[in-house]
Amino acid sequence: MEYKTRGTCSQLIQFDLEDNKVRNVRFTGGCDGNLRGISKLVEGMDAHEVIRKLEGTPCGFKNTSCPDQLAKALRTALHE
């Protein structure tokens, strides 16, 4: 799936869902090292668990972040 982010330095999140497990998360743009780390941490996790942990995470003075946008992307994918 591809998800166009809103309000973050990253512009796009790509990932796969296999039996509700998160796989192959890739961010375009944003803080490369941090986003690679997040991608590794969520690999193989249940999508609902990732959403529970990351949803609502702010970035500085923004009310969203790349992790929050990943949670939104997963929620969208689960409802499709």
Side-chain angles (χ1 to χ4, degrees):
M1 171 172 192
E2 289 190 354
Y3 182 83
K4 183 160 177 34
T5 61
R6 294 179 185 94
T8 59
C9 297
S10 66
Q11 298 95 28
L12 184 71
I13 305 171
Q14 297 171 292
F15 60 91
D16 299 315
L17 275 181
E18 298 171 4
D19 298 323
N20 286 343
K21 302 292 183 198
V22 179
R23 305 275 185 217
N24 306 313
V25 176
R26 297 166 311 283
F27 288 84
T28 301
C31 304
D32 188 53
N34 290 334
L35 296 175
R36 285 183 190 219
I38 290 168
S39 298
K40 287 181 179 184
L41 288 171
V42 302
E43 179 69 25
M45 285 181 65
D46 181 81
H48 293 95
E49 181 70 6
V50 175
I51 292 167
R52 187 184 70 72
K53 289 185 176 198
L54 299 182
E55 193 167 49
T57 303
C59 182
F61 296 106
K62 299 176 190 175
N63 61 1
T64 191
S65 64
C66 294
D68 180 57
Q69 290 293 298
L70 176 58
K72 291 179 186 324
L74 291 170
R75 187 175 295 284
T76 298
L78 289 171
H79 292 319
E80 288 187 346

